């Protein structure tokens, strides 16, 4: 066997079968005698009988890749396959999306004819849950009736190349499933063959489009929405406007950085309202841009990167004649929830984009793909592909009341994702009036990079309440002394790692009576950067928030959109959470975090059956500036309960020992 093994071969019958599908409607003749009628190859029977959308996945080949290893699960294989989507129905398929259930830890290197929705550029790590492929540049598939059977307009073929792992030599690595994700279609389980699977997705007769008057896809709802509007178009360039709208009441961005990927060698000539982080004309000069625009002065070009990083301008440049003077621009990257400030929930910038062949036509317009936006301490957004929507309308500058429409518009919708374990950006600790020990933030809540001197998997040590006021490095002495005084057991040789969070929240159960209860919430900023116009939100369980009464040092309100969520922000003049500073005596005293706190009160009239101290008095979710914080999985125990548990354990041990002695005596 060669060092590089042969790829798996497809049976010739299957090749004929797939080839027929691929050349459906096409003929290639060596000579044309004029009097012979070409005969098109017959499509697969299942495709021929499909009244809807025909989807197929064909495995092509795979080849063993370096490094060669004996461990089957670690061996890499390069593979290629073909995904085909054909509109065989009566309705145009707009912005098609197909889920491919990859299950062999695939790493996609290219998907010619589509983009990976969950990726931000190749290579895309798929894992075991599959991925969603969206059509690009051909996102809409017309019907055979509207195109006289033109296969190039009614079908899309995606050539997939990538790497997969853990596949035995003689097996065929097929996906778990394939499925069309467009609204209004029902898909059966795919029909499977050894190297091929197919399905016919049919139109749901009960499906009713929300808006039948629009030409393109309806606008989608999400936590964050981008609008990419072409304001003017020429043969080789166009002017675009990007609008960012924060729709979620708990979403937020601070000092945002936006990235996307140009797919057709475009470059940014100029911008207003924002700026790229890097200006380097070399990528244009030595790339296809320089080969086409040979007499172009690229030193004046703003950005030539395939994946530019774009940031908002500072507020000082809002009225600058060259780069400012746009509505909703120049906010220093801050986008707030509408509940805090509706005018600051939007950001706008404009850019002039140059194009390359074969797109030298004013109607050849393609938006960038793989959108991604990040903030400093903000939620992680997962963005979908751009979808074509009806052109956006803008107030006409003439002031006559007319509405001007964009040449073309696309929408990108993003949703907030929950942080993975040990990847949060803030954390929560619990304490209570009836418990001596504090439940600290979880170990490695915000990640652990250095674990040689600490245990990343160990449970965080119980602490005295005063330990919350000092940095983690100064808590070790307090924790050891607390364990000794309270007889909490011997200290582990390797102590738990810190939470490593620059922001933490303490929820302290303050009181509990027959008619109501109170809690104290304290915000700690352990970082160097201050938080301006901060907000926090708590989500309670069992409708406990129905008993919400008041917040005394913050502005608080119960969100109508989320029944169990209470939203809090700083009062005017107190909305600035400073960063960590030196203590009174920097040489001896620990550093002091920025801190703000308030009391929040609840009544039991509307929630009579809750058990406050057993867990109902603690939030199930805490959010700071849009980011969901890591939260403990246990609650503080009262001293009596802890003592009872120790006594109960001791009694059980004594009883077991006594039983053992009695049985032993009887046996003798």
């Amino acid at each position: 066997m060669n060092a590089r093994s042969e790829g798996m071969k497809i049976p010739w019958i299957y090749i004929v079968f797939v080839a027929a599908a691929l050349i459906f409607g096409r003929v290639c003749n060596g000579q044309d005698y004029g009097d012979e009628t070409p005969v098109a190859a017959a499509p697969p029977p299942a495709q021929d009988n499909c009244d809807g959308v025909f989807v197929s996945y064909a495995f092509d080949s795979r080849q063993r890749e370096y490094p060669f290893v004996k461990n089957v699960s670690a061996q890499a294989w390069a593979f290629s396959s073909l995904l085909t989507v054909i509109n065989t129905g009566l309705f145009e398929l707009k912005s098609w999306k197909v889920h491919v259930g990859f299950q062999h830890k695939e790493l996609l290197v290219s998907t010619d004819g589509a983009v990976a929705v969950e990726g931000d550029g190749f290579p895309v790590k798929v894992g075991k849950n599959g991925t969603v492929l969206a059509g690009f540049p051909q996102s809409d598939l017309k019907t055979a009736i509207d195109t006289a059977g033109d296969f190039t307009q009614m079908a899309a073929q995606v050539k997939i190349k990538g790497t997969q792992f853990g596949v035995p030599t003689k097996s065929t690595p097929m996906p778990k499933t394939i499925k069309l994700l467009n609204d209004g279609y029902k898909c059966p389980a795919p029909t499977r063959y050894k190297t091929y699977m197919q399905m016919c997705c049919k139109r749901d007769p009960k499906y009713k489009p929300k808006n039948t008057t629009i030409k393109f896809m309806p606008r989608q709802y999400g936590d964050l929405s981008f609008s990419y509007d072409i304001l003017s178009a020429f043969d080789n360039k166009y002017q675009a406007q990007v609008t960012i709208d924060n729709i979620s009441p708990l979403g937020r961005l601070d000092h945002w950085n936006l990235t996307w990927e140009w797919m057709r060698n475009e470059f940014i000539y100029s911008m207003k309202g924002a700026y790229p982080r890097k200006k380097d004309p070399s990528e244009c000069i030595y790339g296809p841009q320089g080969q086409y625009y040979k007499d172009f002065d690229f030193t004046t070009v703003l950005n030539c990167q395939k994946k530019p990083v774009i940031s908002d301008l500072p507020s000082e440049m809002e009225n600058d004649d060259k780069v400012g003077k746009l509505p909703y621009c120049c906010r220093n990257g801050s986008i707030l929830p509408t509940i805090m400030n509706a005018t600051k929930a939007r950001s706008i910038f404009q850019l002039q984009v140059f194009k390359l062949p074969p797109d030298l036509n004013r109607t050849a317009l393609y938006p960038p793909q793989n959108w991604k936006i990040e903030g400093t301490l903000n939620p992680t957004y997962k963005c979908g592909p751009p979808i074509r929507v009806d052109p956006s309308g803008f107030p006409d500058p003439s002031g006559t009341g007319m509405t001007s429409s964009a040449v073309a518009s696309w929408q990108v919708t993003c949703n907030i994702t929950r942080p993975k374990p040990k990847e949060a950006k803030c954390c929560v600790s619990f304490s209570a009036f009836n418990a001596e020990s504090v439940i600290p933030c979880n170990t490695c809540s915000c990640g652990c990079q250095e674990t040689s001197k600490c245990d990343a998997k160990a449970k965080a040590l119980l602490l005295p309440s005063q330990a919350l006021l000092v940095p983690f490095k100064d808590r070790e002495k307090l924790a050891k002394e607390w364990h000794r005084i309270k007889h909490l057991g011997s200290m582990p040789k390797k102590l738990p790692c810190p939470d490593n969070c620059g922001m933490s929240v303490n929820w302290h159960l303050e009181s509990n009576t027959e008619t109501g209860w109170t809690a104290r919430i304290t915000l700690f900023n352990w970082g160097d950067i201050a938080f301006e116009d901060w907000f926090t939100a708590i989500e309670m369980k069992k409708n406990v928030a129905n008993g919400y009464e008041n917040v005394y040092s913050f502005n608080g309100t119960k969100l109508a959109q989320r029944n169990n969520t209470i939203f809090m922000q700083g009062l005017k003049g107190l909305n600035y959470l400073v960063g960590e500073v030196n203590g009174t005596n920097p040489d001896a005293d620990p550093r002091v975090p920025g801190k703000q706190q308030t009391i929040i009160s609840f009544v039991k009239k509307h929630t009579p059956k809750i058990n406050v101290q057993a867990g109902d008095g603690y939030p199930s979710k805490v959010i700071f500036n849009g980011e969901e914080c890591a939260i403990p999985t246990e609650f503080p125990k009262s001293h009596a309960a802890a003592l009872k548990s120790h006594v109960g354990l001791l009694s059980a041990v004594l009883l077991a020992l006594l039983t053992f002695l009695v049985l032993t005596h009887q046996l003798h």
Side-chain angles (χ1 to χ4, degrees):
M1 187 173 183
N2 295 332
R4 201 173 171 89
S5 63
E6 293 185 5
M8 294 183 64
K9 303 301 181 183
I10 313 282
W12 66 270
I13 296 177
Y14 163 71
I15 296 176
V16 175
F17 182 76
V18 174
L22 299 183
I23 64 174
F24 172 56
R26 298 183 185 179
V27 176
C28 181
N29 296 314
Q31 272 185 303
D32 185 6
Y33 294 99
D35 56 350
E36 292 187 3
T37 302
V39 179
Q47 176 187 317
D48 201 33
N49 298 325
C50 181
D51 180 13
V53 177
F54 184 78
V55 184
S56 66
Y57 178 93
F59 174 77
D60 181 19
S61 64
R62 68 186 177 106
Q63 199 168 36
R64 196 177 176 201
E65 282 294 333
Y66 295 115
F68 296 157
V69 295
K70 295 181 179 180
N71 185 357
V72 175
S73 62
Q75 180 59 58
W77 294 81
F79 77 98
S80 63
S81 58
L82 183 72
L83 175 72
T84 305
V85 185
I86 309 174
N87 187 358
T88 56
L90 297 174
F91 302 92
E92 182 180 1
L93 182 64
K94 299 177 180 178
S95 298
W96 68 263
K97 292 185 294 184
V98 171
H99 175 261
V100 182
F102 291 116
Q103 57 180 332
H104 300 100
K105 302 178 183 178
E106 280 83 356
L107 186 74
L108 300 185
V109 177
S110 67
T111 54
D112 186 15
V115 293
V117 172
E118 299 175 0
D120 56 354
F122 293 105
V124 176
K125 188 177 181 180
V126 175
K128 294 184 178 181
N129 298 321
T131 191
V132 177
L133 298 178
F136 180 85
Q138 189 173 356
S139 58
D140 301 337
L141 303 181
K142 298 183 181 298
T143 66
I145 295 173
D146 292 337
T147 62
D150 185 356
F151 188 81
T152 61
Q153 297 186 61
M154 55 183 281
Q157 296 173 346
V158 183
K159 298 177 182 177
I160 303 171
K161 290 185 178 180
T163 302
Q164 52 193 193
F165 297 86
V167 183
T169 305
K170 296 183 179 181
S171 65
T172 303
M174 292 289 287
K176 288 181 181 178
T177 186
I178 52 174
K179 185 179 181 181
L180 182 71
L181 298 182
N182 292 64
D183 293 336
Y185 286 89
K186 287 187 174 181
C187 299
T191 303
R192 297 173 173 272
Y193 302 93
K194 185 177 181 181
T195 58
Y196 180 78
M197 63 172 63
Q198 64 183 27
M199 66 167 53
C200 177
C201 300
K202 295 186 177 181
R203 186 90 169 181
D204 185 355
K206 297 181 181 179
Y207 175 73
K208 295 182 180 179
K210 295 181 180 179
N211 191 344
T212 58
T213 62
I214 59 176
K215 181 180 179 181
F216 300 98
M217 288 284 289
R219 292 185 181 264
Q220 307 293 309
Y221 177 84
D223 294 321
L224 192 75
S225 177
F226 294 93
S227 185
Y228 191 81
D229 301 306
I230 308 298
L231 303 182
S232 60
F234 306 91
D235 287 345
N236 69 327
K237 62 183 177 180
Y238 64 82
Q239 186 80 13
Q241 177 170 289
V242 178
T243 304
I244 311 172
D245 283 307
N246 182 16
I247 301 170
S248 170
L250 299 179
R252 179 191 177 116
L253 285 165
D254 293 286
H255 307 289
W256 56 259
N257 287 321
L258 170 65
T259 62
W260 61 49
E261 184 175 6
W262 295 113
M263 308 299 287
R264 306 180 74 83
N265 296 317
E266 301 96 330
F267 60 91
I268 301 172
Y269 182 76
S270 61
M271 295 183 77
K272 291 186 69 175
Y275 70 100
R277 286 284 183 174
K278 183 179 180 181
K279 182 180 179 181
D280 183 4
S282 62
E283 293 187 37
C284 280
I285 295 173
Y286 298 104
Q289 300 89 345
Q291 294 176 10
Y292 178 74
Y293 294 103
K294 295 182 179 180
D295 298 326
F296 202 92
D297 182 11
F298 284 101
T299 59
T300 61
V301 171
L302 197 60
N303 185 270
C304 291
Q305 292 176 289
K306 184 178 178 67
K307 291 183 179 181
V309 180
I310 300 169
S311 300
D312 194 15
L313 287 172
S315 55
E316 297 81 28
M317 307 189 76
E318 183 178 1
N319 295 316
D320 188 273
D321 292 330
K322 291 184 178 180
V323 296
K325 290 192 174 179
L326 279 178
Y328 305 105
C329 92
C330 315
R331 303 277 180 76
N332 202 26
S334 293
I335 302 179
L336 305 179
T338 53
I339 191 174
M340 294 184 70
N341 190 323
T343 61
K344 291 186 177 182
R346 167 176 284 189
S347 187
I348 284 179
F349 65 90
Q350 294 180 355
L351 64 160
Q352 188 179 48
V353 180
F354 272 74
K355 305 184 294 180
L356 267 68
D359 300 332
L360 299 182
N361 186 305
R362 66 179 61 199
T363 61
L365 302 168
Y366 300 96
Q369 301 290 316
N370 300 323
W371 292 56
K372 184 178 182 180
I373 192 166
E374 295 178 332
T376 49
L377 197 157
N378 300 127
T380 300
Y381 290 93
K382 179 181 176 182
C383 301
I387 61 170
R388 185 78 179 266
V389 295
D390 278 3
S392 302
F394 306 97
D396 193 85
S398 64
T400 58
M402 291 191 303
T403 300
S404 299
S405 295
V407 176
S409 295
W410 287 264
Q411 185 198 23
V412 176
T413 303
C414 309
N415 289 306
I416 295 173
T417 61
R418 193 169 189 177
K420 296 179 181 179
K422 299 187 177 183
E423 291 185 12
K425 300 173 186 175
C426 55
C427 64
V428 179
S429 60
F430 287 155
S431 57
F433 69 92
N434 62 327
E436 294 180 326
S437 297
V438 172
I439 306 293
C441 287
N442 298 329
T443 303
C444 300
S445 291
C446 299
C448 278
Q449 295 181 347
E450 177 55 52
T451 59
S452 60
K453 297 181 180 179
C454 62
D455 191 346
K457 297 181 180 179
K459 184 179 177 181
L461 299 175
L462 297 178
L463 298 172
S465 57
Q466 65 269 26
L468 295 178
L469 302 174
V470 297
F472 186 89
K473 64 178 183 178
D474 297 304
R475 294 179 186 177
E476 182 178 334
K477 185 177 180 180
L478 293 172
K480 289 181 178 179
E481 185 66 16
W482 187 250
H483 266 61
R484 186 186 66 80
I485 295 174
K486 298 301 177 182
H487 307 290
L488 298 177
S490 59
M491 294 287 290
K493 294 182 179 179
K494 202 173 184 181
L495 296 179
C497 293
D499 54 69
N500 292 319
C501 295
M503 180 69 205
S504 65
V505 180
N506 173 248
W507 179 270
H508 177 78
L509 193 61
E510 188 78 13
S511 67
N512 183 26
T513 66
E514 292 183 1
T515 58
W517 58 283
T518 61
R520 183 180 70 240
I521 183 169
T522 307
L523 311 177
F524 295 100
N525 183 2
W526 302 98
D528 297 326
I529 301 174
F531 295 106
E532 187 177 2
D533 293 325
W534 58 265
F535 78 82
T536 187
I538 57 167
E539 182 178 304
M540 309 298 291
K541 50 191 173 184
K542 293 185 180 180
N543 295 321
V544 172
N546 290 341
Y548 165 68
E549 183 182 35
N550 198 9
V551 170
Y552 296 93
S553 301
F554 300 162
N555 272 329
T557 182
K558 183 182 171 187
L559 294 181
Q561 307 97 313
R562 299 169 179 250
N563 291 331
N564 297 324
T565 302
I566 301 168
F567 184 93
M568 292 173 279
Q569 59 180 311
L571 296 170
K572 189 175 182 180
L574 298 174
N575 58 345
Y576 199 82
L577 181 59
V578 299
E580 191 181 62
V581 296
N582 288 326
T584 306
N585 184 358
D587 295 330
D589 297 335
R591 287 174 63 82
V592 180
K595 183 181 71 171
Q596 288 197 29
Q597 64 181 13
T598 187
I599 295 292
I600 179 171
S601 62
F602 298 82
V603 294
K604 293 183 177 179
K605 180 179 179 181
H606 303 293
T607 56
K609 296 182 180 181
I610 65 170
N611 191 334
V612 175
Q613 292 169 215
D616 293 341
Y618 297 89
S620 59
K621 186 182 293 186
V622 175
I623 293 171
F624 181 81
N625 277 4
E627 170 74 6
E628 183 177 342
C629 303
I631 200 165
T633 56
E634 59 180 309
F635 309 110
K637 293 182 180 179
S638 66
H639 178 67
L643 182 62
K644 184 177 179 181
S645 65
H646 282 117
V647 172
L649 178 62
L650 180 61
S651 300
V653 173
L654 291 175
L655 180 61
L657 179 61
L658 181 61
T659 304
F660 173 75
L661 293 174
V662 170
L663 290 174
T664 304
H665 177 71
Q666 289 178 350
L667 288 174
H668 283 295

